[in-house]
Amino acid sequence: MSAENIDNPISYEILEDLEDDFEEVELELLRQQAKLTKDLYAKRAKVVSEIPNFWPLVFEQAPPDIDEYVQPTDSAVLLSSLVNLSVERFELPNGDPRSISIKFEFSENEYFENKVLEKKFWWRRNKDGWAGLVSEPVKINWKADKDLTSGMLDLVYQVWEDDKAGKGDDTEAKKKLKSQMESTGLDGVSFFAWFGFRGLSISEEENQAALKEEQEKRKARKEGKEDEDDDDDEYEMEIFPTADDLAVCIAEDLWPGAIKYFLAAQEQDALSDINFESDEEMDEDEDDAQPSKKRKA
Amino acid sequence: MSAENIDNPISYEILEDLEDDFEEVELELLRQQAKLTKDLYAKRAKVVSEIPNFWPLVFEQAPPDIDEYVQPTDSAVLLSSLVNLSVERFELPNGDPRSISIKFEFSENEYFENKVLEKKFWWRRNKDGWAGLVSEPVKINWKADKDLTSGMLDLVYQVWEDDKAGKGDDTEAKKKLKSQMESTGLDGVSFFAWFGFRGLSISEEENQAALKEEQEKRKARKEGKEDEDDDDDEYEMEIFPTADDLAVCIAEDLWPGAIKYFLAAQEQDALSDINFESDEEMDEDEDDAQPSKKRKA
């Protein structure tokens, strides 16, 4: 019996089992939500495709958790060329509803050749008990001298290819990426670096084995046996370490709230117009009237 | 045709109808969630009732949106005497799933006589198109000189009784409350002032009439007719103006996440113990070793 049980008549395993049961319900609700909103999102996509600048205006009003990652140049790219955004829980109906793909569609622009950038996040579990979103880097075909990540995204992609080819830890790309990350840091990194996120490296086989192990642990817990947890090694060369949180924020806030954010952008524009007009009126008033007290002083 | 339609081929009414449809799905999901979690919450209540200080520890780890309202004295009250918290979507199965009641249960304490403080929030709509949570003040029977709201909650309650009795706008209680609010402001107001929140005054009849009107408007929109909106008068003498947001945060974050927050509190305690021990060890090391550079300087 562990130390905490001296104070607590309840073991932590009971609490963990309860959390597991709540998690099951949340997953079921995500599945229901996907089913119940499918046609509505299709209808929305059709409607908003006829509204000029719908998605750029949505991003303009994005909540702080997203907005903090959008640099002024990123904003310019989105404003000039983002024509569609879509989010899909792509492992449904049978897989994990927490796996999400986020697809950006662009018109011709001066920064990159891609018309579509799609980033997929898989909900995976590893043998140490860690569970969360993992991904693969997405290559962006930058136009000459227009790479908003200063070559980092290309390096991340090359490192990933090297890793897949089993090239070990001291490839050219790894050395370059490491030195660039150390020398420049990640402050003010472009939103587009987000496409480079990998997260923990967990294969589908490892995921399945971990899921099985977790189910056995759960069973063992219910039979009163102990379990143990280890710590995980984070992937070190991540140029956008919070990409998974940002993905969830896009999928669970920006995407469902898009009409709300668009309407807020419209309202903001209307208010700016009013302020602009009343500023003009005030100026006229001031010209006609006596100098104000401020001017006198 | 309104001005915005010159730029936009899509009318705002279509977007509003879509938002209404999404809202319907969200309500359905809330109903499902309530149904699917009912037994789990009952089980959790039973389990955590055997854990000493479960709810005070949950509050100790509450997210910033809640924690910012809990003053040090409030914290002391919760820590010494909060024995249970429960949240119910009390208008289910037939009413609005957004109506919530939040019930605090206390042991004997030096601040007030109440063993139970229950605050109910009704999701209501008024004829101007506003929809949100409204409530009624809850009386707290403070012990002598222990009123954490310095009399404001009592005044709010008296004003509410006066309003119900139709006593008009210049009662003794209203004058007192107004002058106290003006002189002291609401900075650092006790968490317990939250029990005084009223929100807009909307009777059940008005709510039903507004619901009916809204449905007719929706129908009219679908038939291509225009609608209009008015602005709302906020209730002025609110001693805890953001009480509705706080209620939602308790119901949708603290309440479902209680085990997570409790485990975080336990981990924090464990970490404090480790730090405490390693601090001691460090002190010993320092005593044995050469004076540090810092001491030399």
Side-chain angles (χ1 to χ4, degrees):
Chain A
M1 198 185 254
S2 57
E4 59 251 21
N5 291 346
I6 296 170
D7 295 307
N8 269 340
I10 298 296
S11 75
Y12 283 65
E13 283 70 26
I14 295 181
L15 294 179
E16 281 173 25
D17 282 341
L18 262 170
E19 286 292 75
D20 290 339
D21 293 342
F22 276 108
E23 187 182 325
E24 280 303 319
V25 171
E26 281 311 307
L27 293 184
E28 177 54 26
L29 289 168
L30 277 178
R31 281 184 212 107
Q32 297 264 3
Q33 185 183 46
K35 209 190 293 178
L36 293 172
T37 53
K38 194 168 182 272
D39 293 348
L40 283 177
Y41 279 122
K43 191 174 167 190
R44 189 182 76 175
K46 200 159 164 273
V47 167
V48 307
S49 71
E50 295 181 51
I51 301 177
N53 284 324
F54 180 84
W55 287 107
L57 286 167
V58 169
F59 263 90
E60 208 179 277
Q61 292 290 317
D65 287 349
I66 295 174
D67 193 55
E68 64 175 313
Y69 296 112
V70 181
Q71 309 300 332
T73 328
D74 302 329
S75 231
V77 179
L78 296 175
L79 189 61
S80 68
S81 60
L82 179 64
V83 292
N84 197 19
L85 176 79
S86 48
V87 172
E88 209 190 335
R89 298 190 180 269
F90 66 91
E91 290 199 312
L92 289 178
N94 300 316
D96 199 302
R98 287 166 294 195
S99 294
I100 41 182
S101 88
I102 301 178
K103 190 162 83 178
F104 291 78
E105 293 171 55
F106 297 93
S107 59
E108 182 69 36
N109 68 72
E110 54 174 313
Y111 289 88
F112 45 76
E113 306 286 352
N114 313 60
K115 287 288 181 304
V116 174
L117 292 174
E118 181 174 10
K119 178 90 176 151
K120 287 172 112 166
F121 294 84
W122 289 262
W123 185 271
R124 289 294 176 262
R125 178 179 289 276
N126 76 5
K127 55 181 169 32
D128 299 332
W130 180 91
L133 293 172
V134 304
S135 188
E136 294 176 355
V138 173
K139 199 169 169 54
I140 297 182
N141 300 316
W142 302 105
K143 294 188 177 175
D145 299 323
K146 290 294 190 182
D147 185 340
L148 294 172
T149 70
S150 312
M152 282 207 288
L153 187 58
D154 283 350
L155 286 171
V156 164
Y157 196 83
Q158 187 56 52
V159 166
W160 184 66
E161 298 258 282
D162 291 350
D163 281 348
K164 280 198 297 182
K167 288 198 179 165
D169 271 348
D170 56 348
T171 65
E172 204 55 38
K174 278 190 194 178
K175 279 185 250 170
K176 268 196 193 165
L177 178 58
K178 206 175 165 191
S179 105
Q180 192 168 344
M181 283 174 68
E182 279 167 4
S183 64
T184 62
L186 296 174
D187 281 349
V189 73
S190 163
F191 171 79
F192 290 92
W194 176 78
F195 287 98
F197 178 79
R198 293 172 55 168
L200 293 184
S201 170
I202 304 171
S203 69
E204 181 50 30
E205 293 74 40
E206 197 184 339
N207 178 56
Q208 288 302 334
L211 274 175
K212 212 179 144 202
E213 199 186 330
E214 174 65 21
Q215 277 153 3
E216 280 161 10
K217 268 192 196 171
R218 228 179 261 194
K219 205 168 146 247
R221 271 212 305 269
K222 290 200 171 154
E223 289 161 4
K225 294 173 196 146
E226 295 269 318
D227 69 0
E228 75 234 44
D229 263 17
D230 301 295
D231 275 329
D232 321 292
D233 299 315
E234 290 258 345
Y235 177 63
E236 280 172 10
M237 292 201 280
E238 206 72 87
I239 60 173
F240 204 113
T242 53
D244 46 352
D245 295 336
L246 178 53
V248 170
C249 205
I250 291 174
E252 297 189 349
D253 186 342
L254 197 76
W255 167 249
I259 291 180
K260 179 185 78 187
Y261 291 121
F262 168 75
L263 293 174
Q266 297 290 101
E267 207 170 305
Q268 184 103 354
D269 279 0
L271 281 176
S272 310
D273 288 351
I274 290 165
N275 285 337
F276 184 66
E277 279 166 27
S278 54
D279 279 359
E280 275 183 338
E281 274 169 30
M282 266 210 291
D283 284 348
E284 277 169 26
D285 286 354
E286 275 182 4
D287 289 339
D288 294 340
Q290 303 277 338
S292 69
K293 277 187 180 169
K294 242 187 186 166
R295 287 186 189 171
K296 263 186 192 167
Chain B
M1 200 185 253
S2 57
E4 59 251 23
N5 291 346
I6 296 170
D7 295 306
N8 268 340
I10 298 295
S11 75
Y12 284 65
E13 283 71 24
I14 294 181
L15 294 179
E16 281 173 27
D17 282 341
L18 262 170
E19 286 291 75
D20 290 339
D21 293 343
F22 276 109
E23 187 181 325
E24 280 303 318
V25 171
E26 280 311 306
L27 293 185
E28 177 54 27
L29 288 168
L30 277 178
R31 280 184 214 108
Q32 298 263 5
Q33 185 182 46
K35 209 191 289 178
L36 293 171
T37 54
K38 193 168 184 273
D39 292 347
L40 282 177
Y41 278 122
K43 193 174 166 189
R44 188 182 77 175
K46 199 159 163 274
V47 167
V48 307
S49 71
E50 293 181 52
I51 301 178
N53 284 326
F54 180 85
W55 287 107
L57 286 168
V58 169
F59 263 90
E60 207 178 276
Q61 292 290 316
D65 287 349
I66 295 174
D67 193 54
E68 64 176 313
Y69 296 112
V70 181
Q71 309 301 333
T73 328
D74 302 329
S75 231
V77 179
L78 296 174
L79 189 60
S80 68
S81 59
L82 180 64
V83 292
N84 197 21
L85 176 78
S86 48
V87 172
E88 209 190 335
R89 299 190 179 269
F90 65 91
E91 290 198 313
L92 290 178
N94 300 317
D96 198 302
R98 288 167 293 195
S99 294
I100 41 182
S101 88
I102 302 178
K103 190 161 85 178
F104 292 79
E105 292 171 58
F106 297 93
S107 59
E108 183 69 35
N109 69 72
E110 54 175 314
Y111 288 90
F112 44 77
E113 305 288 349
N114 313 60
K115 287 289 180 303
V116 174
L117 292 174
E118 181 174 10
K119 178 89 176 152
K120 288 173 112 167
F121 293 85
W122 289 262
W123 185 272
R124 290 293 177 262
R125 179 179 287 277
N126 76 6
K127 56 180 168 29
D128 300 332
W130 179 92
L133 293 172
V134 303
S135 188
E136 292 176 355
V138 173
K139 198 167 171 54
I140 297 183
N141 299 316
W142 303 104
K143 293 188 178 175
D145 300 322
K146 289 295 187 181
D147 185 341
L148 295 171
T149 70
S150 311
M152 282 207 288
L153 187 58
D154 282 350
L155 286 172
V156 164
Y157 197 83
Q158 188 56 52
V159 166
W160 185 65
E161 299 258 280
D162 290 350
D163 282 348
K164 280 198 296 182
K167 286 196 180 167
D169 272 348
D170 56 348
T171 65
E172 203 56 37
K174 278 191 193 179
K175 279 185 247 170
K176 268 196 191 166
L177 178 57
K178 206 174 165 194
S179 105
Q180 193 168 343
M181 284 174 68
E182 279 167 3
S183 65
T184 63
L186 296 175
D187 282 348
V189 73
S190 163
F191 171 79
F192 290 92
W194 176 77
F195 287 99
F197 178 78
R198 294 172 54 168
L200 294 184
S201 170
I202 304 172
S203 68
E204 182 49 29
E205 292 74 39
E206 196 184 341
N207 178 55
Q208 288 302 335
L211 274 176
K212 209 177 146 203
E213 199 186 331
E214 175 64 22
Q215 277 153 2
E216 279 161 11
K217 269 190 193 172
R218 230 179 258 194
K219 202 166 149 249
R221 273 212 303 271
K222 290 199 170 153
E223 289 162 5
K225 292 171 196 148
E226 297 268 319
D227 67 2
E228 75 233 43
D229 263 15
D230 301 296
D231 274 329
D232 320 293
D233 300 315
E234 291 258 343
Y235 177 63
E236 281 172 9
M237 291 200 279
E238 206 72 87
I239 60 172
F240 204 113
T242 53
D244 47 353
D245 295 336
L246 179 54
V248 170
C249 205
I250 291 174
E252 297 189 350
D253 186 342
L254 197 76
W255 167 249
I259 291 180
K260 178 184 81 187
Y261 291 121
F262 169 75
L263 292 174
Q266 296 291 100
E267 207 170 306
Q268 183 103 353
D269 279 0
L271 281 176
S272 308
D273 288 351
I274 291 166
N275 284 338
F276 184 67
E277 278 165 28
S278 55
D279 278 359
E280 274 183 340
E281 275 168 32
M282 267 211 290
D283 284 349
E284 276 168 28
D285 285 353
E286 275 182 2
D287 288 344
D288 293 342
Q290 303 276 337
S292 69
K293 278 188 180 169
K294 241 186 185 165
R295 286 187 190 170
K296 263 186 192 166

